Amino acid sequence: MAQCVQSVQELIPDSFVPCVAALCSEEAERLTRLNHLSFAELLKPFSRLTSEVHMRDPNNQLHIIKNLKIAVSNIITQPPQPGAIRKLLNDVVSGSQPAEGLVANVITAGDYDLNISDRSVKASVPWYSNWKDMLMELQESSLYTATTPWFESYRETFLQSMPASDHEFLNHYLACMLVASSSEAEPVEQFSKLSQEQHQIQHNSDYSYPKWFIPNTLKYYVLLHDVSSGDEQRAESIYEEMKQKYGTQGCYLLKINSRTSNRASDEQIPDPWSQYLQKNSIQNQESYEDGPGTITSNKNSDNNLLSLDGLDNEVKDGLPNNFRAHPLQLDSSSDPSNSIDGPDHVKSTSLLHETKKANTGIIHGACLTLTDHDRIRQFIQEFTFRGLLPHIEKTIRQLNDQLISRKGLSRSLFSATKKWFSGSKVPEKGINELKNTSGLLYPPEAPELQIRKMADLCFLVQHYDLAYSCYHTAKKDFLNDQAMLYAAGALEMAAVSAFLHPGAPRPYPAHYMDTAIQTYRDICKNMVLAERCVLLSAEILKSQSKYSEAAALLIRLTSEQNTWKGMDSDLRSALLLEQAAHCFINMKSPMVRKYAFHMILAGHRFSKAGQKKHALRCYCQAMQVYKGKGWSLAEDHINFTIGRQSYTLRQLDNAVSAFRHILINESKQSAAQQGSFLREYLYVYKNVSQLSPDGPLPQLPLPYINSSATRVFFGHDRRPADGEKQAATHISLDQEYDYESSQQWRELEEQVVALVNKGVIPSNFHPTQYCLNSYSDNSRFPLAVVEEPITVEMAFRNPLKVPLLLTDLSLLWKFQPKDFSGKNNEVKELVISKPEMIGAEVISEFLINSEESKVARLKLFPHHIGELHILGVVYNLGTIQGSTTIDGIGALPGCHAGNHCLSMTVRGRQDLEIQGPRLNNTKEEKTSIKYGPDRRLDPIITEEMPLLEVFFIHFPTGLLCGEIRKAYVEFVNVSKCPLTGLKVVSKRPEFFTFGGNTAVLTPLSPSASENCSAYKTVVTDSTSVCAALTSSASSVDFGIGTGSQPEVIPVPLPDTVLLPGASVQLPMWLRGPDEEGVHEINFLFYYESVKRQPKIRHRILRHTAVVCTSRSLNVRATACRSNSLEDEEGRGGNMLVFVDVENVNTSEAGVKEFHIVQVSSSSKHWKLQKSVNLSENKDAKLASREKGKFCFKAVRCKEKEAATQSSEKYTFADIIFGNEQIISSASPCADFFYRSLSFELKKPPAQPSVQTEKQSVEDAVRLIQKCSEVDLNIVVLWKAYVVEDSKQLILEGQHHVILRAIGKEAFSYPQKQEPPEMELLKFFRPENTTVSSRPSVEQLSNLIKASLHYPESFNHPFHQKSLCLVPVTLLLSNCSKADVDVIVDLRHKTTSPEALEIHGSFTWLGQTQYKLQLKSEEIHTLQLKACFVHTGVYNLGTPRVFAKLSDQDTVFETSQQNSMPALIIINNV
């Protein structure tokens, strides 16, 4: 149980004190009324004796009484009504609340720190998250108990207001004070009259109430004297007369009112009465007054007085039956303000309120001085010492003597005491054996009752051992007679006496109490007495630290069935459950969960009893235990109740917070329950917001907003595709963030910015960010452009199972106008909501279904430059009207205009607070937790900028590899500023071209040529041979110089400026990438404003084209030296070029066949001369999976041609297979050729080595390598015939092959890299790491070109001449620029006999070895003779040629093998 102010040893004696009646004359009452007190109230603060009192027991032993207190009360002839007692108890409890601002009371129980005081309301409610901060420093002791003053007030009032009953005498009157005033005409006569009245009340059978202890009641005569107005002499003489008549022990002169009440109260006199009166005044708990008010009325009406113990103090003259009824009588007409009226209904409600008003400033004892206080104290002492105690002592002796004589008991009852203390015990019958004889009544003079009377008297004067023995004896008598009510009373008091007896060697007999409680409750059906037993026993058990037993006892009395006649058990149950909860927490090992559970039960019963504040407090205290343990349903229940109770008590903020907590936790409730919670929340919230309609908008708990997922987009929404027009994809909120692609875009932007700034990226450059999210860099203030919308996307989540409807949803912002041009730096004032500065979009309805996540996009339209701060979102929260209503609160009428009917809406806001990224750069940041700023919601609005829109017309989505298609691009300036410096940058410049720099090179439009070709064509004479038509072009014409970046392409705008509102269309040729598959090609358009802006230098527009390519042709080519001498100048500068073309197209694309219409070459040094295909069929068609082979002769360009041309000039040669020539040196053929070449041009040249000793060797190697280099580029142009929807389309395209070296095959399509085989890891250092710098065999074989010239067949008459001699010319040409030493060896060196058999044997005649030196590019002929002996086919390619560079010491000697056999046929004629 909670800690009490009094210990149980003080509590029980104070609860059972000698009762004294007071009967006053009207005049005496008037004197005390001057102090706003009745006579009984006047004595109340002084009723405890300040010194010890002595008396003698029946054995003449001296007995000491400590701290004796007496109770003086006015005579009331009506017993109190149970309903009124209940009302009084209710008011006492509701009036006692925890004082505000107390230091929190903390109990540490296990892992819990429980805060039990008024602060616990704040500490435990869920919104008070850091409640531990306000807990006081914990004491040394692990337990620190709390007080519950309302329970103590209840207990005190309950014990005091118990009606007197016949089976016990503890609260029967022992004596009666008869009070008259010295100012009366005949005071002595007045005393006689009062004495008769008392006698009549006690002995007349009409009065069953009040109860008197013994027939011979002590009468004590008190003369009141008003010092300030009365005659002192007269008072003294009357007092003398009284002493003569009543004896000095039986009367007293009490002088009061030593000062007049109207005197200015300079001195402050203490007011000891207020605490008693305040505690017991029976008024509405809302407005406590300091005591009773007097209503003066005529003599025939009662003075209606509200006294401290509720007993009336005035008696009508000579009308004994006109005593006031008990003020606890319920009045049928009493008003709901909890006022108590008398039975004669004199006092009306309004009168009572007037009285209350009058009472507020009342001072009690205004006419009394401190001397008067001492006099009253002295009077009580005198009365007790001289009157009451001797009377009690005498009564005890008389009763003792009576009992001894009547019962014939030996000596006195002390023998019984000794017997009990020595340990013998009489067996008692079990309660179940007893018949229900609670109805048995004893006559007043029955000897059993005399024992009980004696026991009660002993108990009242603290003689506990004698009391116990009497109770014990009486108990046995009552049980023998089966008078159960009497027996229970005796058991109860026997147990208490045994406990209070200071020297008791025996333990407290708790089973006595249990039997008594069971008897009262089950047999006598008297819940009040049972409750008294429980209260006393629980206190005793608690004082012995038997908390478990105390708790069980308290809980036993709280079951719902135990209701006493007319008395609701809720208040009692609530208080007892609360005390039981405190018992659980005070155990040695505290039972915290039991504490919490019983606090909840107590809160529930408090609520039923109408004690809303206490109910709320209980739930809040229990919440401390349940909070954060994952018991969400329990938490929801507690929060819901806290919300309801707070709402009832008009603590609306607490109510809102509690309901808010139910909604924001991940609730496990059913949908209907959640809907009920939500509606209740809205209802309460509505009431809160109506209290302060002009206050700031409160924060709403629903729906959840994932702040970090907020995205901000600057700019207009993308236009949808319009027919053939397709807008640039740019950036939109529909695109997912991809780190890789954002890096690619950043690189593209850096490339173009670097180019614009002469190759250097400015230090203040930051990549343009149009869409900010949690991945972007938000550390700087983003820049937005005036008149361009800002879209904020918020991620909402509805955690409930009921849909939420948000209406009138818009952004909350503040704006600071500023001028960034630097002319005037004054800052204008903050603007919160002015639509002329910033326009805001409002979403009228936004429905989020149950447990759904949904994004909302809201726009702002800035109309002024300055700083904008987006603070959050504001909306009306509601739910869709259902058929259900909340328990107790029906849905409010009123429908929202819209698709959904709303039950109720409240307006509120939610702030967007985004935490920046965690900082992790410096050591300090790594060791602490610090976050950087996130400024995505704080854009700076800058001045106007141009705004470009790009549209693509006829842009293909599917192409064949290498296919050329012509499309158009439209550039539109949709802003009010001109734009310039338009460039496009892409990682795939080979995919598109805008044509050459000169108009001559760019065909005007497709319709100009046959079949709407994208190429520039010229019709040729079909009879012309397959000879080459040459032209030349420079790469500079096509925007590809050696130094420039091929990825950045300026867009050829007319006049380089696009004016506001203007649009321009440009042709754009596209070529399908060489690899099949889906290609994403990124274009970044860069442009600037004509007028330089301080904040934004440039703007960009992105476009991602997705093109799907399917296979078309594979082209491979090789070049080899020609052995022929058909060179015009006789120089060996011819090559054969073999081109293989394979149709790898699968029929899915619907391509019927490919026609090779032209093969062109492009080179600085070589050109194709003619086609050497033997077939007459000019048209080269390839059906699916067919392969065609072409052979061309290539010759070197004229030296003079090459000399006059700049190094960037390329010669183009076209070999035509159709009837029209495609001019390959014009757009778009040359564009794509140069773009495919540009990748090769970008490769850095080999760096010359520094080491000198190796230098010469490397030079030699380089010279040898150069011999085999060719730089010849082949362009194969084709047409494909496609059948689509029964229409035939002609597609055209081109493939490029770049020939680099002789004999090495080159491909038009990228080769797949074979993954290298896995090698074992080597753990030793290789011995020789130097790389051999010898040239390869292939390269050496190209150093000298050797060719044999001879007749293909030779006729010889073998019958005439047996030896056939054939002249053969060996042509040696030096392919390198250096001098070469050559050795020609004619000796046969066959390795196998098979070779002889195949080719036949012949011999060379003459010199078998030649040594010669060839100068740079020199051609040398040797005349040889071959000798044959019979006919056959012979291979003349047997001479072995060795070569080395003349100036080299190292001889790179290797056989110069001819790949082609030189076959000769020898015929016999």
Side-chain angles (χ1 to χ4, degrees), residues 629-637 639 659-670 674 677 701-706 796-801 850-853:
K629 296 286 178 298
W631 299 336
S632 63
L633 295 177
E635 273 191 70
D636 286 350
H637 169 77
N639 276 315
F659 281 122
R660 175 192 177 92
H661 193 69
I662 307 178
L663 297 175
I664 61 176
N665 268 356
E666 292 297 328
S667 176
K668 296 187 174 70
Q669 303 283 2
S670 65
Q674 287 183 1
F677 286 161
L702 292 171
Y704 290 0
I705 296 181
N706 182 359
F796 288 111
R797 181 168 73 83
N798 176 7
L800 302 183
K801 298 185 180 80
S850 59
E851 296 179 331
E852 180 189 22
S853 296

Side-chain angles (χ1 to χ4, degrees), residues 1367-1415:
V1368 178
T1369 309
L1370 174 63
L1371 197 71
L1372 298 171
S1373 51
N1374 179 0
C1375 297
S1376 72
K1377 300 269 187 203
D1379 296 356
V1380 179
D1381 293 348
V1382 184
I1383 297 173
V1384 180
D1385 192 353
L1386 296 177
R1387 284 174 296 186
H1388 284 291
K1389 196 179 181 184
T1390 50
T1391 49
S1392 63
E1394 290 88 6
L1396 288 173
E1397 284 169 25
I1398 294 166
H1399 300 302
S1401 183
F1402 73 97
T1403 47
W1404 294 102
L1405 300 182
Q1407 200 173 336
T1408 56
Q1409 200 176 44
Y1410 297 88
K1411 281 190 181 175
L1412 28 123
Q1413 186 181 45
L1414 296 182
K1415 295 273 183 279

Side-chain angles (χ1 to χ4, degrees), residues 418-432:
K418 289 190 186 121
K419 212 190 280 178
W420 178 66
F421 284 128
S422 65
S424 69
K425 189 177 173 199
V426 178
E428 293 147 14
K429 293 184 183 175
I431 185 118
N432 299 328

